[in-house]
Amino acid sequence: MLLSRKWLNEFVEVDASDREFAEAMTLSGSKQEVTTDLSAEIKNVVVGKITEMKHHPDSDHMWVLQVDTGDGAVQIVTGAWNIHVGDLVPVAKDGATLPGGVKIESGKLRGIESQGMLCSLKELNLTAEHDYPYAAIKAAAILGDYTPLKGQEPSIPADIQSGHTLFGSICAAKVLECAAQPDGLYHTVLDLGGSTAMLDNDCQNLHEGDMVAYDAKAEKICTPDDLHAQQSEFPHCITDGIWILREENVQPGDDVATLIGCDDHVVEFEITPNRPDCLSIIGLAREAAATFRKPLKLHTPEIKGCGGSIAELTDIDIEDGDLCPRYTARMVKNVKIKPSPAWMRERLRNSGVRPINNIVDITNYVMLEYGQPMHAFDFSCVEGGRIIVRTAREGETIQTLDGNVRKLTPSMLCICDEEKPVCVAGVMGGANSEIVGDTAQVLFESANFNGASVRRTAVALNMRSEASARYEKGLDAMNTMKAVQRACELVELLGAGEVVDGVMDVIARDSAPTVLKLEPERINALLGTDVAESEMRTILETLDFELDGDKVTVPSWRSDVEGMADLAEEVARFHGYNNIPVTLSGGASAHGGGYTSVQLAERSVGALCRSLGYDEIITYSFISPSYYDKIKLPADSPLRSSLKILNPLGEDTSIMRTTTLPSMLEILARNYNFRNKAAYLYELGRTYFPKKTGPDESGVAKEPKILSLGAFGPEVDFFSVKGAVETVLEGLRIDGAVFEAETGNPSYHPGRCAKVLLNGEILGVLGQIHPDVAVNYGVDCELYAAELRFDALYAAMGAQPVYKSLPRFPAVARDIAVVCGKTVTVGALEECIRRGSKGLLKEISLFDVYTGVGIAPGKKSVAFNLAFRAEDRSLTAAEADAEVTGILALLKSELDAALR
């Protein structure tokens, strides 16, 4: 909703700045979107009076003007043809700004200095058709401009003289004098070749010395149309030129922005669907009056009338009262279709509505002012003089005002005469009853329609309008009378016609007002405030709620107020949300505030990953089914059983993921394609599995979280990713995890992949992405990834660390090198060493793996550094040797690993 602050001031005077106004209105519930200063685009453009015109010495079509701009004269060079000495014109002075960001600066044209520019309507973002109808230009046929059509003989001689006959009563004439008059006409003296003629005409392109065609019989100067000529035959006789001002009380130096109504600030509001009353100037004025504690000045329409009775001219019949609760109408006769006055055109234009003519503009003006859509019928087109409100019959059609033929259905409410539909109720009028230039009798409709019915019709016909946008939100049925009275008052004010006495007001469904009980204690308890009852009453009365004791009668336009909570909201809005004290909740807290243990674990995982140099990513949970093919997931894999989205944005986002690997690989591939040399990424994201039913299943879909790591770069290999996983496990205080080779995962390289196990339970998998999968993502370097089940990590987390003092006794170090089969993993050796110790082993460090000379084929040598320590004493060499002996014995018995 666009609100003109100049228009608003007619109802409530608010002297706040734009910022203060926007903030206050937003805090009271009317959300401001943007405020536009209409004058911002038009700067330093003033009214000028042409005092002198001379031909440019180096041009046959340019003029050098002296223009009075109020504070002195400026020289302007122009090629305009429709100007004369004495004309008042818009002048963009040096440094001026025009709509669209156009800057005007002084310069030279053909060697003559020009200190500005004269403006046309178009350059001010205006039109003659809708904004200033009097500015439409009528061009005379200048014979010196005549150009014969291609391939045709000239019909006007090049050396034609005054008095020569062109055809019939039309002869050539030379302009001896042409002077602009205050009424927009030009006093012209013509040389007819032996005689002269004097006349006042409205052709703006005449100047002394021009040769024109004069119709002696009609006593007028001819236009190209009068000569049956085409535009191309008189190329410079166009209807576009400088705007010659005809406004009243205009003086040189006046600001043009003010003159055209751009001295206004327009505020755009976001109106919620439950407040259709605010889709009007009066509705927002009521909110502003309550917000700023200013009096609201409402006007009661007064109509003089011309006698007669509308009841003798028409009748109204409502067939379905549920779809049309009320229909109000008034009749206007002797209608005079003409442009609306400037003040009305200005208000409509600033509110985003295009002016058309006085009758149409009145209906739009009332809709903006009162929020009640109206329609005007050419009553001569209403067959039988009777209005019937009914649903359409099967097969009926109507051509609407936009020129389209609409096929109607029996569910659509229409306004009909005795023969046909003449309007789609609440949406758009029909072309068969449109207001045109010769309309003499008009029926003004101000009706209330069912909002849901209007919305369905507008959607079905794909034809939403300003009227339907209001009706579909549910309008006040009591507003129809005020609106039609205001429309008729404007008809008399504008001299647009004579209002017939009487009103046709058919009420098919009456509704009782909503009455609520004022309960200050409950309102304060709900709001957490201590607002005095007197303030509550003042607020409600300001909003036109009627109070009688503890009874509150809700205004008819406030259908959103249904209970005590709604009254509390009104009190809160205008008491001020910022005046409500901040208090803690009085209820019990579920966990006393702060993070839950799961959230703390998630934050710890994120911190650990970031400490390793990994950056967090967040990817969509919905993916394409083709992603499973890209990671080589088998056709019978349970991971392919995905939840399908009912209304996907497209095939690429049609299912919920069961693995985070494709999402990670998509981002890695994107970084690779952006020519990043390396990338280290992590995500803690959810996967989604369909619900299962059975005696041991809850029937609820599962959404486990997965910690994903992904990396590539010159320093990334299997062991760096394994080290990252180990760091995460260590940071979560998870002890005892082991890594086992994994060759059956098709997404990973079979020789560079490992499972992460804890007590036989799989925590996840890590390794190099299979080269074929990397190719599927357009990557020709090694990609590495890890996938860890967060729920398993969380369940395995160790207790909070407890401080222990530094060891008091030194460690005893021993190095051992054992020879074992090549297939025995280092992890298996480490796990066996730990079990072989009697409790004194504190650290194991691998420092060498060797094959070659001195080692039997199929064997390898693996060397470890072992650190032994006791907490209560210094170990002896014998105790350390005994530990080593036990370890070697277990290695031999379980893994056939012998001391080298």
Side-chain angles (χ1 to χ4, degrees), residues 81 139-149 154-157 160 166-167 170 205 211-213 221-240:
W81 52 267
I142 306 298
L143 300 184
D145 186 43
Y146 170 70
T147 302
L149 295 176
S155 59
I156 300 176
I160 193 168
L166 296 175
F167 61 87
I170 298 176
N205 62 329
M211 190 70 73
V212 298
I221 296 174
C222 298
T223 66
D225 287 342
D226 295 328
L227 300 179
H228 308 291
Q230 298 182 27
Q231 175 67 59
S232 59
E233 294 181 82
F234 294 90
H236 293 99
C237 296
I238 55 177
T239 58
D240 184 25

Side-chain angles (χ1 to χ4, degrees), residues 21 47 110 130 155 195 227 298 341 343 383 432 434 473 489-490 558 614 636 673 701 743 808 811 815 830 848:
F21 181 78
V47 175
R110 300 279 181 93
H130 300 296
S155 59
S195 64
L227 300 179
L298 294 180
W343 63 266
E383 298 290 341
N432 53 18
E434 180 181 6
K473 294 174 177 63
E489 180 186 48
L490 290 171
R558 290 302 304 275
Y614 284 72
D636 59 349
N673 292 328
T743 60
R808 294 171 56 199
D815 291 340
E830 285 187 354
D848 183 52

Side-chain angles (χ1 to χ4, degrees), residues 460-483:
L461 296 177
N462 192 25
M463 188 174 58
R464 295 195 76 225
S465 61
E466 286 286 339
S468 68
R470 286 169 166 79
Y471 274 123
E472 65 188 25
K473 294 174 177 63
L475 296 182
D476 175 21
M478 304 301 291
N479 203 27
T480 62
M481 179 63 77
K482 302 173 189 174

Side-chain angles (χ1 to χ4, degrees), residues 45-66:
V45 181
V46 300
V47 175
K49 184 175 184 178
I50 300 174
T51 58
E52 182 181 309
M53 291 179 64
K54 293 182 178 179
H55 284 289
H56 194 293
D58 293 328
S59 173
D60 60 356
H61 69 279
M62 300 184 75
W63 298 91
V64 180
L65 312 178
Q66 298 299 318

Side-chain angles (χ1 to χ4, degrees), residues 383-395:
E383 298 290 341
R386 181 165 169 248
I387 294 293
I388 304 170
V389 185
R390 61 169 175 82
T391 53
R393 299 190 178 101
E394 193 68 49

Side-chain angles (χ1 to χ4, degrees), residues 676-752:
N676 290 334
K677 295 181 179 179
Y680 297 83
L681 309 173
Y682 83 92
E683 179 182 21
L684 189 58
R686 291 192 182 276
T687 53
Y688 301 83
F689 295 89
K691 64 184 179 180
K692 296 181 180 179
T693 58
D696 299 324
E697 299 291 344
S698 63
V700 178
K702 299 185 183 303
E703 302 178 8
K705 282 191 172 182
I706 301 295
L707 172 63
S708 304
L709 302 179
F712 69 84
E715 298 181 2
V716 180
D717 59 17
F718 174 85
F719 297 104
S720 65
V721 176
K722 177 175 176 286
V725 172
E726 288 175 329
T727 301
V728 171
L729 296 176
E730 181 181 353
L732 296 178
R733 303 173 299 283
I734 299 175
D735 296 326
V738 296
F739 299 84
E740 289 186 1
E742 170 63 67
T743 60
N745 192 320
S747 301
Y748 289 86
H749 192 298
R752 298 176 184 174

